[in-house]
Amino acid sequence: MELEELGIREECGVFGCIAAGAWPSELDVPHVITLGLVGLQHRGQESAGIVTSDGESAQSFKVHKVKWKGCLLFMLLKEGMGLVNHVFSEDSLKKLYVSNLGIGHTRYSTSGVSVLDNCQPFVVETLHGKIAVAHNGELTNAARLRRKLMRHGVGLSTSSDSELITQLLAFTPPMEHDDTPDWVARIKNLMNETPTSYSILVMHKDIIYAVRDPYGNRPLCIGRLVPVGDINGKGKNTSETEGWVVSSESCSFLSIGAEYYREVMPGEIVKISRYDVQTLDVVPRPKGDASAFCIFEYVYFARPDSIFEGQMVYSVRRRCGQQLAIEAPVEADLVSTVPESATPAALGYAQKCGLPYIEVLCKNRYVGRTFIQPNMRLRQLGVAKKFGVLSDNFKGKRVVLIDDSIVRGNTISPIIKLLRESGAKEVHIRVASPPIKFPCYMGINIPTKEELIANKPEFHDLANYIGADSVVYLSVEGLVSSVQESIRAKHDSGNNIKTNKFRAGKVGHCIACLVGEYPVELEW
């Protein structure tokens, strides 16, 4: 919950769609992309953009700028500030027709300020026509790349490191012929220039290329659009394919009539066409390096119904709760949670301890982030206004309250006070993730090291500081084992042949914000 209050968040999400079969297609590509972005709205709420194309020529990204409620909208390249369903009205979507493929992006800002110029997807002209690029992540060597591009005479129009990716893709590799673009060489050149962090969609003519960095730090997966009657009803090879989608998360697939197909693996370059999905190459990590998928995707950022590394996020969060019960049991009468992201962990904790899971708080769903204020007093009042108290459920009882994080310690204190004043006999806090001690430089907005409660003197007596009877975090080892338990079991059994053949090297996760050890050397 405190992650939500403090705005600690993933910075963006990407989504692409391409119609299968004969073109022009009857598939409503703009609406599919819009619904896909709505499903990724938790990953970005400052701006959103869509680029679509008929796929017939490299010049089909026509641009038409108009004013609309303070937003800039484009004919085939359309971007705006705000929520997806506010930016993309029915009338504005009509301007994206006729389209056979497209990519979209929804954004928070980490690198680059929150202005319309930084909205994605970016479009640039190359030797072989226009490309559109959508990027999730943050480059660890962006400053050096920016200087390098400028030394080569490349002017930059935004402060976003995603523009650097777009410009690097426009570079012509030495072995490329003028009449034949070599997109694998261009993408590999980009990957050689920057090790992490990025998941990228690149659209050129009638193709979408899906790319993950060799460390797999940011998620990316592929779905198959099938007839509505065949969803969850038939095997992958027995029903018609209406199109392909690619997304930061699989959570929106069901709402658009898509089945989960597979992940884009770390270092993989995938070509998605109207005909099929094809692996073009896999760029390896330096020898001995493990993959480094962000572990906080499991803890908080992703929607619980998303699938990463062959496992549902909800199941991992539940295992975290079970592990927390093993590490930090306590005599109590009931287990509850701060709604809603910690609910799976609370259920796992209750199951393992043999205690009932009972709700003690109800959330006011109509108070959003617009209410959050920088002033500490207003922030604390905001917590009280976000929740109602179900006092009949816990009066006179000992409560174990599960939360997904305690970052600064400011938002959990008024909740504990609220429960005590409403009749709780004891309030024990259990946190389903380890303490965050270090900032992230790979696409997550985390407060400075000095702001984190784990680095303050108060951390040594945290229970007293926040007003709880006890506070225990899940250990780093406990979190890693909860995340990797299912992955290692599948790897050992050899059941996941399709993905295992691409998953070269050791399986690992980025835990830099917990231990301060980053998967790559940081450059400033």
Side-chain angles (χ1 to χ4, degrees):
M1 187 278 299
E2 190 171 350
L3 286 169
E4 179 182 357
E5 287 296 315
L6 296 176
I8 294 181
R9 61 208 180 197
E10 177 65 79
E11 90 287 6
C12 52
V14 298
F15 193 92
C17 175
I18 186 166
W23 288 355
S25 172
E26 294 183 2
L27 183 67
D28 193 343
V29 171
H31 275 89
V32 170
I33 297 173
T34 301
L35 289 173
L37 292 178
V38 168
L40 298 176
Q41 192 77 82
H42 57 287
R43 302 182 75 89
Q45 295 177 14
E46 288 180 355
S47 64
I50 293 176
V51 179
T52 63
S53 172
D54 60 13
E56 296 300 320
S57 76
Q59 305 300 326
S60 61
F61 305 157
K62 297 177 183 177
V63 179
H64 175 64
K65 296 183 179 180
V66 295
K67 287 283 186 179
W68 179 76
K69 294 184 180 178
C71 301
L72 281 177
L73 304 183
F74 296 79
M75 180 69 79
L76 290 181
L77 164 61
K78 188 172 78 65
E79 299 169 333
M81 301 297 290
L83 299 176
V84 171
N85 58 345
H86 294 166
V87 174
F88 302 128
S89 67
E90 189 69 29
D91 288 341
S92 62
L93 281 176
K94 290 178 182 178
K95 296 170 183 167
L96 295 171
Y97 298 150
V98 170
S99 306
N100 295 313
L101 71 162
I103 63 174
H105 185 273
T106 187
R107 178 180 184 269
Y108 280 122
S109 60
T110 52
S111 174
V113 294
S114 177
V115 295
L116 192 61
D117 287 343
N118 288 315
C119 290
Q120 297 183 48
F122 287 124
V123 173
V124 296
E125 188 80 41
T126 74
L127 186 62
H128 304 287
K130 290 180 179 179
I131 61 170
V133 178
H135 163 228
N136 173 26
E138 187 171 5
L139 304 184
T140 55
N141 60 344
R144 179 175 64 81
L145 290 177
R146 183 173 293 274
R147 291 192 297 270
K148 180 176 182 178
L149 285 169
M150 289 180 172
R151 279 198 300 268
H152 282 79
V154 178
L156 299 172
S157 59
T158 76
S159 58
S160 170
D161 58 354
S162 303
E163 187 186 11
L164 306 179
I165 289 174
T166 308
Q167 294 293 351
L168 286 168
L169 289 170
F171 273 16
T172 301
M175 302 301 291
E176 182 180 283
H177 299 292
D178 287 352
D179 57 345
T180 307
D182 188 344
W183 287 105
V184 172
R186 288 176 179 237
I187 293 168
K188 290 177 74 173
N189 175 63
L190 163 69
M191 298 172 85
N192 289 331
E193 288 283 356
T194 183
T196 193
S197 158
Y198 48 88
S199 284
I200 309 169
L201 300 183
V202 182
M203 184 170 71
H204 177 254
K205 290 187 178 178
D206 59 347
I207 301 294
I208 295 175
Y209 298 94
V211 184
R212 277 180 85 189
D213 72 62
Y215 289 87
N217 187 251
R218 296 287 141 222
L220 197 61
C221 62
I222 300 168
R224 190 172 70 99
L225 288 165
V226 299
V228 175
D230 291 347
I231 298 173
N232 293 330
K234 295 183 179 180
K236 291 179 180 174
N237 299 318
T238 59
S239 61
E240 177 188 355
T241 299
E242 295 187 340
W244 297 96
V245 290
V246 57
S247 176
S248 294
E249 293 184 42
S250 62
C251 54
S252 59
F253 284 176
L254 189 61
S255 66
I256 59 171
E259 293 179 337
Y260 180 85
Y261 187 67
R262 71 170 179 90
E263 279 190 302
V264 177
M265 304 310 296
E268 188 180 8
I269 304 171
V270 178
K271 174 185 175 183
I272 307 174
S273 70
R274 72 174 90 176
Y275 306 110
D276 59 12
V277 173
Q278 179 184 359
T279 298
L280 299 181
D281 207 342
V282 178
V283 175
R285 296 181 293 279
K287 190 173 181 180
D289 283 6
S291 58
F293 180 55
C294 174
I295 207 161
F296 258 78
E297 292 281 358
Y298 286 111
V299 172
Y300 175 74
F301 301 126
R303 245 174 57 174
D305 53 335
S306 288
I307 297 172
F308 298 140
E309 303 176 301
Q311 57 186 344
M312 189 167 283
V313 171
Y314 183 97
S315 300
V316 173
R317 291 176 183 171
R318 188 163 184 140
R319 285 202 299 271
C320 286
Q322 293 170 339
Q323 180 63 30
L324 184 58
I326 294 171
E327 294 181 6
V330 63
E331 290 189 8
D333 301 305
L334 62 94
V335 176
S336 194
T337 184
V338 181
E340 297 168 326
S341 57
T343 300
L347 289 168
Y349 189 99
Q351 179 190 36
K352 194 70 176 179
C353 287
L355 294 171
Y357 171 81
I358 299 174
E359 292 183 345
V360 299
L361 298 168
C362 62
K363 192 172 185 179
N364 178 1
R365 301 179 190 278
Y366 299 98
V367 177
R369 278 196 177 138
T370 53
F371 181 77
I372 301 169
Q373 302 290 336
N375 179 278
M376 186 176 298
R377 180 177 180 274
L378 292 177
R379 185 186 292 124
Q380 291 174 338
L381 287 174
V383 172
K385 286 192 175 184
K386 286 193 74 172
F387 297 103
V389 181
L390 306 173
S391 54
D392 285 353
N393 289 349
F394 62 87
K395 194 172 292 184
K397 295 181 179 179
R398 300 167 296 178
V399 178
V400 182
L401 195 67
I402 309 296
D403 203 354
D404 52 31
S405 64
I406 298 178
V407 183
R408 286 196 185 103
N410 297 328
T411 53
I412 192 68
S413 298
I415 289 178
I416 296 169
K417 185 172 182 287
L418 206 61
L419 294 178
R420 289 194 185 280
E421 290 174 348
S422 300
K425 184 179 179 182
E426 296 176 6
V427 180
H428 300 272
I429 302 298
R430 296 294 180 267
V431 187
S433 64
I436 298 175
K437 297 181 178 180
F438 302 90
C440 175
Y441 302 102
M442 288 170 285
I444 304 301
N445 179 16
I446 288 179
T448 63
K449 189 174 180 180
E450 292 72 26
E451 293 178 277
L452 300 170
I453 188 66
N455 297 323
K456 293 184 176 182
E458 294 88 346
F459 188 70
H460 300 292
D461 190 15
L462 187 56
N464 183 57
Y465 179 71
I466 65 175
D469 290 278
S470 67
V471 179
V472 184
Y473 287 81
L474 181 64
S475 67
V476 174
E477 295 77 13
L479 174 59
V480 171
S481 66
S482 298
V483 169
Q484 295 187 356
E485 176 184 322
S486 177
I487 299 171
R488 296 193 183 282
K490 289 179 181 179
H491 185 273
D492 292 342
S493 67
N495 289 337
N496 206 10
I497 296 174
K498 178 179 284 188
T499 55
N500 280 342
K501 68 179 180 179
F502 297 124
R503 195 184 289 279
K506 297 183 292 185
V507 175
H509 292 87
C510 181
I511 54 173
C513 61
L514 309 176
V515 299
E517 297 175 4
Y518 297 87
V520 298
E521 184 178 349
L522 302 174
E523 297 184 31
W524 309 111

